[in-house]
Amino acid sequence: MQQGMRQSMVATAAMQMFMRALQATNMELQQMAAQAMAANPALEELPPPVEPDAEPTGPLNAEATRRHDFALASLTEEETLSSHLSEQIRQSALPPAVESAALALIQHLDSHGYFDREPEEAAREEGLPPAVFRAALSALRDLEPAGVGAADLRDSLMLQLERLGEAHELPMQLLRSHWEDLVRHRYAEAAKALGSTEADIAAAARRIARLNPDPGSGFAAAEQHVIVPDIIVEKDLSVRLTGENVPRLTLSAAYRDMLAEQADKPEVRAYLSRCFREGRELIRVIEERQSTILAIARAIVARQKNFFRRGPQSLAPLKMESIAEDCGCSISTVSRAVNGKYLRCAHGVFELRRFFSAALPQEGEGSGTSAGAVQTRIRALIEAEDPRKPLSDAKIEAALAAEGTVIARRTIAKYREQMKILPASLRKLK
């Protein structure tokens, strides 16, 4: 019984290490490896492959350079919103399942602190039970800064008012029931519906304007960092890993010799054996991480051939469930593998998450159009518009409907905002 329990704990620790490595970006993986080497003398990093005509670098110089670069990066690295929220979660003494779920949900937030998709969709991708999801979402929305974990701007503003104890005041009523009137400054309509005065509505609007529309401001933005693709897709649709910034670890030959020499000293032998065991486990985890990312990337390319041949306008609807089935893994594994990973192809550099999108309703036969393809089409319509008569969201809605894609106007507005495109009234040339 004790042996069985011990084996279960080892397997759990190994799985946790794999999930951490899988979700980490290459730079984060490099930091994990540096921390492991600092604690484990049996681990060494191989020098990078020597490029043709490059000056050779000795092992000691390469190691000194790596440690210097890591120390410098540790000193100058800015705190991101994700790391700020994750640290709060780890200090919150939540049940392990809820803590793990909250950390997973944080990875679905954009730079503003809003979910990059519907929270329920993120929960399905992570395979979270409903009760665990609700507890994790509640914990996430209790963090600082106020307003993070929201579905959109409106939701964020409401969360901030709740935090301030103003859940039953007029500004909250305005946000909850008359959002369109608020953004269009239709104060008279809102006043009539709420049984208030225009002056009161205007005062409530000013109160809302003092809230923070961007809870993620003040933290290091991912967009400011240089994106190094993890995956290359060639013109023939073959897929390979770049290996950029992925640590190449090995076990020290010197410590192997020491292990043999100290065979008659049980304490030394036990310590060195543990170092080698943990070192082999980390090396295996990194190799498994790389093979998993490569398998998932190949499955994505196989299902999105039209995208790679024709461009973003041909992005097909795709769910993580389909890739999980193709690769024989869980949806949670796919979600972690595509987190912060980028792919380069003939059409540019794209985050792997970009290739997942639900199908939108479509008239007639067919499997529907993906949200990503619709965004590309919206951008194309706006780029082709007459700047003196820019297309309103209603006209874009009508144009898409004429092409067979039925999509709500508020969804068009949401996509336009995500693409940082101004509304028609602000795009018009005067």
Side-chain angles (χ1 to χ4, degrees):
M1 289 179 65
Q2 291 179 351
Q3 183 179 11
M5 290 175 65
R6 190 174 298 115
Q7 288 177 345
S8 175
M9 289 174 66
V10 170
T12 300
M15 180 59 69
Q16 289 177 348
M17 183 190 297
F18 171 67
M19 287 301 182
R20 273 188 65 207
L22 187 62
Q23 183 163 304
T25 64
N26 286 356
M27 292 302 294
E28 291 168 342
L29 185 66
Q30 199 172 49
Q31 292 178 2
M32 287 173 56
Q35 292 169 357
M37 283 188 287
N40 188 343
L43 272 174
E44 290 181 353
E45 184 171 10
L46 293 169
V50 178
E51 298 292 336
D53 302 325
E55 294 184 6
T57 302
L60 294 179
N61 289 336
E63 175 65 11
T65 300
R66 185 197 61 73
R67 293 188 183 278
H68 170 75
D69 290 345
F70 174 69
L72 186 61
S74 300
L75 289 173
T76 60
E77 184 180 7
E78 296 180 78
E79 185 179 34
T80 64
L81 177 63
S82 176
S83 63
H84 178 70
L85 298 176
S86 297
E87 184 61 25
Q88 292 180 70
I89 287 294
R90 293 189 182 99
Q91 295 179 359
S92 297
L94 296 169
V98 176
E99 177 181 324
S100 177
L103 292 173
L105 291 178
I106 287 171
Q107 304 308 315
H108 292 270
L109 302 182
D110 62 19
S111 60
H112 305 292
Y114 305 156
F115 277 96
D116 58 8
R117 63 199 65 209
E118 292 299 324
E120 291 74 15
E121 184 180 345
R124 285 194 296 272
E125 288 181 6
E126 298 292 343
L128 304 180
V132 173
F133 163 64
R134 288 192 295 270
L137 182 62
S138 177
L140 175 56
R141 290 179 167 182
D142 281 340
L143 303 179
E144 293 291 341
V148 297
D152 50 32
L153 171 60
R154 175 189 182 188
D155 192 23
S156 178
L157 297 174
M158 293 172 67
L159 289 174
Q160 293 177 53
L161 287 177
E162 287 179 1
R163 182 80 62 89
L164 294 167
E166 301 177 28
H168 304 291
E169 304 297 328
L170 184 59
M172 180 66 89
Q173 295 178 45
L174 196 57
L175 287 171
R176 183 179 290 117
S177 306
H178 298 277
W179 174 250
E180 288 297 322
D181 290 334
L182 175 64
V183 297
R184 297 178 185 277
H185 298 277
R186 297 191 301 228
Y187 296 165
E189 289 88 336
K192 182 178 180 181
L194 293 173
S196 186
T197 66
E198 277 192 64
D200 289 339
I201 296 297
R206 289 194 297 271
R207 174 70 187 94
I208 292 170
R210 291 196 296 271
L211 300 174
N212 185 4
D214 186 2
S217 62
F219 294 91
E223 291 79 7
Q224 295 176 345
H225 302 156
V226 175
I227 294 175
V228 178
D230 306 85
I231 300 144
I232 303 294
V233 179
E234 306 290 356
K235 290 183 178 179
D236 62 357
L237 301 191
S238 60
V239 183
R240 63 182 174 86
L241 296 173
T242 64
E244 290 287 338
N245 298 321
V246 175
R248 301 170 66 240
L249 303 181
T250 188
L251 296 173
S252 169
Y255 274 84
R256 285 184 187 276
D257 294 340
M258 187 183 299
L259 179 62
E261 294 169 359
Q262 303 291 333
D264 58 339
K265 298 180 179 179
E267 291 184 2
V268 175
R269 183 174 181 80
Y271 169 71
L272 293 176
S273 296
R274 178 174 61 81
C275 288
F276 277 102
R277 184 173 63 252
E278 292 175 354
R280 282 192 294 270
E281 184 62 32
L282 180 57
I283 292 171
R284 184 196 65 77
V285 161
I286 292 175
E287 291 174 350
E288 188 175 348
R289 170 194 188 266
Q290 294 299 93
S291 63
T292 300
I293 292 172
L294 181 60
I296 288 172
R298 284 173 171 164
I300 290 172
V301 171
R303 286 190 175 258
Q304 294 284 10
K305 289 181 180 177
N306 287 338
F307 173 96
F308 294 100
R309 289 171 177 163
R310 302 171 188 168
Q313 70 278 4
S314 299
L315 184 68
L318 180 61
K319 293 183 178 181
M320 288 192 180
E321 289 94 327
S322 301
I323 297 301
E325 290 175 2
D326 292 349
C327 297
C329 62
S330 68
I331 299 172
S332 178
T333 296
V334 175
S335 178
R336 285 173 168 80
V338 301
N339 175 63
K341 314 302 189 302
Y342 289 83
L343 172 154
R344 190 179 74 201
C345 64
H347 306 290
V349 177
F350 303 91
E351 188 175 10
L352 286 186
R353 282 192 181 275
R354 167 77 182 275
F355 297 97
F356 297 97
S357 139
L360 297 173
Q362 187 175 29
E363 293 180 354
E365 298 182 356
S367 58
T369 305
S370 74
V374 171
Q375 290 184 11
T376 300
R377 183 60 184 140
I378 290 172
R379 184 182 292 278
L381 288 170
I382 291 174
E383 289 176 349
E385 71 186 5
D386 182 348
R388 292 169 298 182
K389 297 180 180 179
L391 296 173
S392 65
D393 293 341
K395 290 182 179 179
I396 294 174
E397 178 187 15
L400 293 174
E403 297 173 357
T405 301
V406 180
I407 181 171
R409 195 180 312 172
R410 63 178 178 276
T411 306
I412 292 173
K414 179 179 179 180
Y415 288 167
R416 178 175 49 70
E417 291 171 1
Q418 289 176 350
M419 294 185 288
K420 295 180 172 57
I421 298 175
L422 296 172
S425 59
L426 299 178
R427 298 199 308 272
K428 185 176 182 180
L429 290 181
K430 299 180 180 179

